[in-house]
Amino acid sequence: MKLETMQSSEKPLAERVADQITSLIADNKFQKGEKLPNEFQLAEAVNVGRGTIREAIKILASRNIVEIRRGLGTFVSEKTGLTDDPLGLNFVEDKSQLALDLIEVRAMLEPDIAALAAKRATKKDIEKIKQACKAVEEKIQRQEEFITEDIEFHEIIARSSKNQVVPNVIPVIHSAIKEQIKATNAKLTEKTIVTHRAIAEAIAQRDYEGAREAMKEHLRYNQEHIERVVKEKL
Amino acid sequence: MKLETMQSSEKPLAERVADQITSLIADNKFQKGEKLPNEFQLAEAVNVGRGTIREAIKILASRNIVEIRRGLGTFVSEKTGLTDDPLGLNFVEDKSQLALDLIEVRAMLEPDIAALAAKRATKKDIEKIKQACKAVEEKIQRQEEFITEDIEFHEIIARSSKNQVVPNVIPVIHSAIKEQIKATNAKLTEKTIVTHRAIAEAIAQRDYEGAREAMKEHLRYNQEHIERVVKEKL
């Protein structure tokens, strides 16, 4: 206990400066994609040495809060603060169970998210959902890998829910699943086309119960598929 | 696009070393709480200079993957890889809406989590849930702040679901709510006691539909409460 308190009060200077810059970004003093002032200016503004600023910037880059572009400067990252593995899923011990646990969490979240999207999506959102649905189908028809398009489809629905937390959670879970179950989607092509269409259609028609049920159905067969894959692996 | 590719291929050496050490921890070469080899040994093992190791350790500390304890050495963090704000919620723009969005996500997750806990909790888990329930009540009776105990109650239920992802998601969402809605829980004491008891009781009796409904009810009045608080703020 004592140790922990000591830790936080004695946080290294560079980390405290990093936290300060983070607050500036969080308070919209700097926007996504915007270029930060240079080292000299930041050092002067925060009243620390340039070495400390340089260290703070490195910490911020490792947290995906800023992006260092060689020769161009430091910019506020577009995916502000989302690290590659924000939920520490790399550290989950039972990896073969992890894929099943991830789909279990998707089954909790995504049917409700689809229902919210049916209620709150703008006309523009609905267009994007239809396009994303089509993009998956085209990849499938060309017998190409479609994981990226598939994630995009679910992310657009997440954004259409207008819940600000959901679009930060969904990509994390999807990427983790992609990591766990690589190159197994090929077998799921037909069912993917049918159920994706049903989801997109229900959202377009503002049928929120229909959207919820279509997403449940979509995840149900995904779950069965992952269960088979995990069993084969064991 | 070109920039991004350049970025990742030209990741600074210290970050690549940090990733290497992360993999060692993720693969259980080092356990939670275990002390890492010292700088000399790590430098030799990874075949880089001590300066790079020191920088890599700082990156890992800023990601909560390791903890530097003065005079004692570097240890694998107990909350491996979970940063203070893993979902980048500090960067959500509409803060007054954020609390409502967070409770919306809780309402998606926690009723199902309670149902899973009712199915999968061990006898020991059930004892812990009952104790945590009692701890909240005691704080309420003494008219003391009970947020920490409240979060603990929900975290134990999350762990009892035996889903490995859920215990990483729930604390993040709860801490964010705590941040948004400070010191408003005082008014919710009676309903908290009643609904917490109903949740704990249903889980203890393996009544998973009951647990789901009790959690829904608990979150419903929490949502109403937060809606009132947000309206007052506006």
Side-chain angles (χ1 to χ4, degrees):
Chain A
M1 195 62 218
K2 185 117 186 291
L3 255 172
E4 266 183 51
T5 335
M6 225 177 73
Q7 278 294 114
S8 69
S9 64
E10 290 187 15
K11 230 178 183 180
L13 181 59
E15 258 188 67
R16 274 180 283 145
V17 172
D19 290 345
Q20 256 179 289
I21 299 175
T22 302
S23 299
L24 290 175
I25 297 170
D27 297 344
N28 281 316
K29 296 284 187 295
F30 300 111
Q31 309 288 326
K32 281 181 195 182
E34 194 179 331
K35 191 177 170 177
L36 285 186
N38 65 32
E39 273 175 23
F40 291 98
Q41 294 165 320
L42 280 176
E44 206 174 334
V46 190
N47 201 19
V48 295
R50 277 180 60 207
T52 307
I53 291 291
R54 212 172 302 135
E55 215 182 307
I57 294 289
K58 275 186 192 164
I59 290 171
L60 292 172
S62 84
R63 287 181 189 161
N64 271 349
I65 289 172
V66 304
E67 223 175 282
I68 303 164
R69 297 193 197 142
R70 289 222 179 149
L72 293 174
T74 303
F75 296 78
V76 179
S77 168
E78 293 287 343
K79 43 175 186 170
T80 345
L82 268 184
T83 57
D84 294 341
D85 180 29
L87 294 177
L89 298 179
N90 284 333
F91 300 98
V92 167
E93 287 183 20
D94 187 348
K95 304 277 184 203
S96 63
Q97 182 63 33
L98 181 57
L100 289 169
D101 291 347
L102 286 163
I103 194 95
E104 195 167 76
V105 173
R106 281 187 68 187
M108 295 178 194
L109 290 168
E110 294 198 53
D112 285 341
I113 291 171
L116 289 178
K119 284 180 192 169
R120 300 176 186 163
T122 63
K123 276 186 188 167
K124 217 173 155 187
D125 291 330
I126 290 171
E127 266 325 295
K128 281 188 197 164
I129 291 169
K130 284 182 179 169
Q131 277 165 22
C133 185
K134 219 173 149 191
V136 174
E137 291 185 18
E138 281 169 7
K139 282 276 182 172
I140 289 176
Q141 274 148 11
R142 278 187 256 129
Q143 297 192 290
E144 287 170 14
E145 175 56 54
F146 60 96
I147 290 184
T148 310
E149 287 74 16
D150 188 42
I151 294 183
E152 178 68 8
F153 177 73
H154 290 276
E155 281 188 25
I156 292 175
I157 294 173
R159 287 199 293 275
S160 304
S161 77
K162 304 305 171 198
N163 179 303
Q164 301 169 101
V165 181
V166 156
N168 290 10
V169 179
I170 293 305
V172 175
I173 291 173
H174 281 249
S175 316
I177 291 179
K178 186 168 121 184
E179 192 55 41
Q180 291 302 309
I181 304 287
K182 269 178 188 150
T184 62
N185 275 21
K187 303 168 200 161
L188 289 174
T189 51
E190 251 175 75
K191 280 229 163 185
T192 298
I193 292 179
V194 174
T195 52
H196 271 195
R197 273 190 198 167
I199 296 164
E201 200 48 44
I203 292 174
Q205 305 205 335
R206 307 286 180 196
D207 171 10
Y208 63 89
E209 278 305 339
R212 190 198 309 277
E213 286 310 312
M215 184 64 87
K216 268 192 196 166
E217 174 61 16
H218 177 62
L219 293 174
R220 202 175 296 129
Y221 83 74
N222 260 292
Q223 184 159 23
E224 284 165 12
H225 176 68
I226 292 179
E227 274 169 10
R228 270 197 307 276
V229 173
V230 169
K231 263 185 208 149
E232 280 165 24
K233 270 190 182 173
L234 290 179
Chain B
M1 196 58 218
K2 185 120 186 288
L3 255 173
E4 267 183 51
T5 335
M6 226 177 72
Q7 277 293 115
S8 69
S9 64
E10 289 187 15
K11 229 179 184 180
L13 181 59
E15 259 189 66
R16 276 181 282 144
V17 172
D19 289 346
Q20 258 179 288
I21 299 175
T22 302
S23 299
L24 289 176
I25 297 170
D27 296 344
N28 282 316
K29 297 282 188 294
F30 300 110
Q31 310 287 329
K32 281 182 194 181
E34 193 178 332
K35 191 176 169 178
L36 285 186
N38 65 33
E39 273 175 23
F40 291 99
Q41 294 166 321
L42 281 174
E44 207 174 335
V46 190
N47 202 18
V48 296
R50 278 180 58 205
T52 307
I53 290 291
R54 210 171 302 134
E55 216 182 303
I57 294 289
K58 274 185 192 165
I59 291 170
L60 292 172
S62 84
R63 287 180 189 162
N64 272 348
I65 289 172
V66 305
E67 225 176 279
I68 303 165
R69 298 194 197 140
R70 290 223 178 149
L72 293 173
T74 303
F75 296 78
V76 179
S77 167
E78 292 288 342
K79 42 176 186 170
T80 344
L82 267 183
T83 59
D84 293 342
D85 180 29
L87 294 176
L89 297 179
N90 283 333
F91 301 97
V92 167
E93 287 184 21
D94 187 347
K95 304 276 183 202
S96 62
Q97 182 64 33
L98 180 57
L100 289 169
D101 291 347
L102 285 164
I103 194 95
E104 196 167 77
V105 173
R106 281 187 67 187
M108 294 178 195
L109 290 169
E110 294 198 51
D112 285 340
I113 290 171
L116 289 179
K119 284 181 192 168
R120 300 176 186 164
T122 63
K123 277 187 187 165
K124 217 173 155 188
D125 291 330
I126 291 172
E127 266 325 296
K128 281 187 197 163
I129 291 169
K130 284 182 180 170
Q131 277 166 21
C133 185
K134 219 172 150 191
V136 174
E137 291 186 18
E138 281 169 5
K139 282 276 181 170
I140 290 176
Q141 273 150 11
R142 278 187 255 128
Q143 297 191 292
E144 287 170 13
E145 176 54 56
F146 61 96
I147 290 183
T148 311
E149 288 74 15
D150 189 41
I151 293 182
E152 177 69 9
F153 176 72
H154 289 276
E155 282 188 24
I156 291 174
I157 293 173
R159 287 199 294 274
S160 304
S161 77
K162 305 303 171 199
N163 180 304
Q164 301 169 100
V165 181
V166 156
N168 290 12
V169 179
I170 293 306
V172 174
I173 292 173
H174 281 251
S175 316
I177 292 179
K178 185 168 122 185
E179 192 55 40
Q180 291 301 309
I181 304 288
K182 267 178 188 150
T184 61
N185 275 21
K187 302 168 199 161
L188 290 173
T189 52
E190 250 174 75
K191 278 228 165 185
T192 299
I193 291 179
V194 174
T195 51
H196 272 194
R197 273 190 197 166
I199 296 164
E201 198 49 42
I203 292 174
Q205 304 206 335
R206 308 286 181 197
D207 171 9
Y208 64 89
E209 278 305 340
R212 190 197 311 273
E213 285 312 312
M215 184 65 87
K216 268 193 195 165
E217 173 61 17
H218 177 62
L219 293 173
R220 202 175 297 128
Y221 82 75
N222 259 292
Q223 185 161 20
E224 284 166 13
H225 176 67
I226 291 178
E227 275 169 9
R228 271 197 306 279
V229 173
V230 168
K231 264 187 208 148
E232 281 165 23
K233 271 190 182 173
L234 290 178

